[in-house]
Amino acid sequence: MLEEKVMIDFLKKFDETPFLVKINGNKYEIGDGAPSFTVNFKRTIPLSKLAASTSLALGEAYMDGDLEIEGDLYEALDYFLGQMGKFSTDRHALKKLMFTSTAKKNQKKEVSSHYDIGNDFYKLWLDDTLSYSCGYFLHEDDTLYQAQVNKVDYILEKLYLKEGMTLLDIGCGWGFLLIEAAKKYKIKGTGITLSKEQYRECSRRIAEEGLEDHLHVELMDYRDLPQSGLTFDRVVSVGMVEHVGRDNYQLFIDCVNKVMNPGGLFLLHFISALQEYPGDPWIKKYIFPGGMIPSLREMLSCIAEDQFHTLGVENLRMHYNRTLLCWEKNFREHVDEVRKMFDERFVRMWDMYLSSCAATFHNGVIDLHQILMTKGINNNLPLVKWY
C-alpha cells in the first residue's frame, strides 16, 4: 500500500491535464476537472524506477502489459507527453544508454537494429512509396501515399534539378526519392545506406524501373564519402543526421562539403529540437539506439562553419504528426500480421512508439525542419522562390 501511495504521489506532478489512475481496486484523480483519460496499473511501479527514468518505467510497464490505457492510446499520450519536462532522468546512471559509441561498427549495428527488422514488416504499414519520413499534406484529403509523393516532389523542386546533374542521397532508404529524381529530371543519382535490407530493396526497385544507367546504391558510411572520389551537384539527406551523434554533426557537414561541387544545393531534412538534449531513454533503448536529435541552431552553426549559405528553413512539424497518425492507423489495421512476425511485447512497443512520437510532434517537444542551402555563393538561382 505504501508503494502505491508513493507512486501516486509521484504522478500527481503531472496535473496539467486531469486523468484517472486505477490500481488494486482503488481510483485516484490527478489534476482538477473531469479526467481526460484513464491509466489502469496492474501493478505498482517502484519510485526508484520512476525517478531513474520516468520514460523507461512507464514505457516498459506498457510493453509488459502492466499498464493499460482505457480508450485511445494516442489521445492519452497527447495529453500526458505535453508534460515531458517533468519527467525524471538520471543521466549519470543511464550514461551508457544515453551516450553510445559513434564508431562506424557500432553505428552500423544501431542502424541495422531498426531498419533491418524486415522489409515485409515495413511494407505492412508504410505506403507504396516505402517512405519512412515526414509526408507533406498539401490538401486536407491527401492520402498518406499522396503526402509522400508531395514530399518528394517538394524536395526535388527545392533542389532545382536539371537533366544530367549528379545527386547524392545520404540515407536513401528504399530509394523512392532517387527513383523519382531519375524519372522526372533525368539526373545521375547515388544513394548510400547502412541498412542491408534497404540496400537490397532499393537495388531491386532501381532494376525494376530500368534505371541502372541512372542510379546506383551503395552500403556506405557517410564518413567514407570524401575518399570515394565522387562529386555531386546536389545533395539531399532525409531523416539520417539524427543517427550520426552530436559529436559528429560537424563531421557530417564536412563530409557533405567535400563531395559537393561549388554552388551546389544541399537539402537537409531532419527531426529537430529547440534546445540540445541527449534524448529520451525509452526511445534510445528500444527504438533508435544511439539516436540524437539536433537543435536547429547547432545544425545552422555547423553549416556556417563550412561556408554553406542558408536559403530557407521550413518547419513541417504538424505534417509529421499527421504522418505518424497514418502509420499508427495502418499498423493497427495489420496488427494480426505483425503478431505472426513478432511477440506481443514488440507489438505493444511499436504501438507505443508510433503514438508517442505523434504526440511529441503535436506538443512541440520535437520539430521537423528542412534547411535548403548552397555551397558557397550561387548567384544563378531565381530571385524569387522557385518552389
Side-chain angles (χ1 to χ4, degrees), residues 123 130 199-209 217:
K123 286 177 179 179
L130 280 182
Y199 169 80
R200 180 169 59 84
E201 179 66 12
C202 186
S203 299
R204 186 195 68 78
R205 294 171 92 182
I206 289 170
E208 184 178 71
E209 295 284 351
V217 59

Side-chain angles (χ1 to χ4, degrees), residues 26 58 81-82 135 196 219 221 280-281 303 310 370:
N26 300 316
L58 295 177
L81 294 182
K196 291 181 180 178
L219 279 169
D221 190 290
D280 177 76
I303 288 164
T310 300
Q370 285 186 356

Side-chain angles (χ1 to χ4, degrees), residues 126-153:
L126 294 178
D127 67 286
D128 288 344
T129 71
L130 280 182
S131 297
Y132 190 24
S133 56
C134 174
Y136 188 51
F137 293 86
L138 272 174
H139 308 101
E140 184 59 34
D141 60 350
D142 279 346
T143 62
L144 174 61
Y145 171 81
Q146 187 60 54
Q148 295 295 4
V149 171
N150 294 343
K151 183 269 299 294
V152 167
D153 284 346

Side-chain angles (χ1 to χ4, degrees), residues 8 23 69 94 162 179 184 251 269 302 312 316:
I8 296 300
I23 184 168
I69 300 296
L94 299 173
K162 303 294 181 184
I179 289 168
K184 293 181 178 179
L251 174 61
H269 171 121
C302 292
L316 302 180

Side-chain angles (χ1 to χ4, degrees), residues 64-108:
D64 294 335
D66 294 334
L67 181 164
E68 294 285 357
I69 300 296
E70 295 183 7
D72 187 271
L73 176 61
Y74 165 71
E75 289 184 4
L77 288 169
D78 195 32
Y79 287 123
F80 193 70
L81 294 182
Q83 305 177 70
M84 282 192 76
K86 298 179 181 179
F87 280 28
S88 297
T89 304
D90 186 339
R91 293 185 182 180
H92 179 73
L94 299 173
K95 187 176 180 180
K96 289 184 178 179
L97 171 65
M98 302 296 282
F99 304 98
T100 57
S101 169
T102 57
K104 287 182 181 179
K105 184 177 180 180
N106 188 60
Q107 289 197 324
K108 185 173 183 178

